[in-house]
Amino acid sequence: MDPQIEKEIIALLPRLRRFALSLTRSAPAADDLAQATIERAIANLDKWQPGTRLDSWIYRIAHNLFRNEARNRSSRDEKHEAILAESDQSLDGVRAAEARLEFSAVTAAIAELPSEQRQALLLVAVEGRSYQEAAEITGASVAAVTSRIARAREALREVVERSG
Amino acid sequence: MSLEMVEKLSAFHDGELGLDETSKLRRALADDADARALLESFDQIDDAVRDAFDAELDQPVPLTLARSVRDGFRARKRRDIGTTVVRWVGPMAAAIAIVVVGHFYSQFRTEQALAQQQAQIAALTDKAVQDALEFALSGSEVTLADQKLAGAVSITPTRTYKSESAHWCREFVEELMVEGEKTVRFGLACREDSGEWRRVETRLEGNQTPPVGRSL
């Protein structure tokens, strides 16, 4: 079974990284979270129940790791911001220009959302999860997920209509 | 409009409203142009949100993440083997005998046959590399199998970037399985103007990630 699961996890990496980014908003922090999540998931793979969604289980690990480290996060974010600034300077001109062009108004508005709203939006609007699934992954109630998605859409409405 | 109404419309949009509430909301929508407009805007918002989030999937995944997966499973395998040794000494002795017999059998193979097999593996690998790097998103695996060879090659692109010389380059994980033996390698290839992906680096271990924007 392991070789198949290994392939599934490798295929999941881009989405896991995106999920982590929806929590951290910082690419280096997202990579760190994805790394820690992978290590935790593989070490505890025996706890995953075959027949259930592997990606949901791994998302839940990422979410819990992020939440459990909330107390230390502010200082870590500052450190990552510094690293991010350094890596920005190391990018060549072409990449920096491309990055600026790709950073649309909608992307900026999504980045401004509270992480709970951004995460709920990703799971429901992008990945097509039910409210119940999103609630299980994030450890929230269905009512909270309902509220977060509505608030996120309300917050994005103006900028989407303006940019559309 | 009240937040409660926005929540109801949002849940209705996602098919998450109960039957009773759905009926009530449908009736209310008939007389409420603002609510209808808000509901319609959700499609536009979701499209924009999907585009924004999907763009993140094109960002290169650090090779260290793929390597973590591989290393994690190797560690699991070592642990499982340790357990198995204790429980299955007898069957293992038989397995070792099979391996030994296999080893002596392999010595009888002619060099010509081996060279032919290696050429076929190389051709299969090259085709998989071309297909994966040209068409697969990072994190997606492309597998080609050859029954005669009893082998398969899986290529998973992990990172994409543009070099200083404006070539698109991609890092990838290459898994080669031939006659039950698995080899994992890390590769880097860049796209020629002709559309062919030229392999510029192949390594078994270590940090393969080259500096961003490196020259070819």
Side-chain angles (χ1 to χ4, degrees), chain A residues 7-22:
Chain A
K7 286 181 181 178
E8 281 183 41
I9 293 177
I10 284 180
L12 176 65
L13 289 180
R15 285 200 296 127
L16 173 62
R17 198 156 171 262
R18 179 174 71 176
F19 182 77
L21 195 57
S22 78

Side-chain angles (χ1 to χ4, degrees), chain B residues 132-190:
Chain B
L133 301 191
E134 189 69 16
F135 300 113
L137 292 174
S138 292
S140 299
E141 181 186 89
V142 170
T143 299
L144 294 182
D146 186 321
Q147 286 188 336
K148 286 183 187 170
L149 275 174
V153 180
S154 296
I155 303 294
T156 307
T158 53
R159 182 169 184 254
T160 306
Y161 63 90
K162 212 166 195 176
S163 72
E164 283 177 353
S165 53
H167 286 80
W168 282 106
C169 298
R170 301 191 79 181
E171 293 176 353
F172 55 93
V173 178
E174 174 187 307
E175 292 183 39
L176 180 64
M177 181 75 82
V178 178
E179 295 177 345
E181 188 176 337
K182 183 178 175 182
T183 308
V184 179
R185 296 186 294 195
F186 298 89
L188 168 68
C190 297

Side-chain angles (χ1 to χ4, degrees), chain A residues 42 46 84 103:
Chain A
I42 295 173
D46 298 333
L84 188 63
F103 197 75

Side-chain angles (χ1 to χ4, degrees), chain B residues 44-122:
Chain B
Q44 193 185 357
I45 292 167
D46 282 7
D47 285 346
V49 165
R50 269 191 291 274
D51 286 347
F53 273 112
D54 284 348
E56 288 167 9
L57 292 181
D58 293 332
Q59 298 302 310
V61 174
L63 209 51
T64 49
L65 281 180
R67 200 173 299 125
S68 297
V69 177
R70 185 203 60 177
D71 292 346
F73 277 91
R74 276 188 177 175
R76 275 180 62 83
K77 198 174 176 183
R78 279 197 296 273
R79 192 188 67 190
D80 290 347
I81 287 171
T83 308
T84 307
V85 164
V86 174
R87 294 173 55 197
W88 298 100
V89 173
M92 185 173 279
I96 290 169
I98 290 169
V99 170
V100 170
V101 170
H103 173 71
F104 280 110
Y105 169 73
S106 69
Q107 287 186 333
F108 286 107
R109 299 179 74 139
T110 64
E111 285 187 9
Q112 191 178 10
L114 283 171
Q116 188 182 7
Q117 184 194 38
Q118 285 182 353
Q120 288 170 328
I121 291 168

Side-chain angles (χ1 to χ4, degrees), chain A residues 116-164:
Chain A
E116 295 84 3
Q117 291 182 20
R118 201 168 45 248
Q119 195 182 26
L121 202 60
L122 170 63
L123 290 170
V124 173
V126 180
E127 296 210 349
R129 309 300 186 103
S130 67
Y131 285 10
Q132 180 65 41
E133 284 178 298
E136 285 170 6
I137 289 170
T138 59
S141 65
V142 171
V145 170
T146 307
S147 171
R148 287 169 187 174
I149 292 169
R151 285 170 189 269
R153 283 179 173 140
E154 182 74 351
L156 295 175
R157 186 182 177 199
E158 193 181 335
V159 68
V160 168
E161 286 177 347
R162 209 168 46 227
S163 64

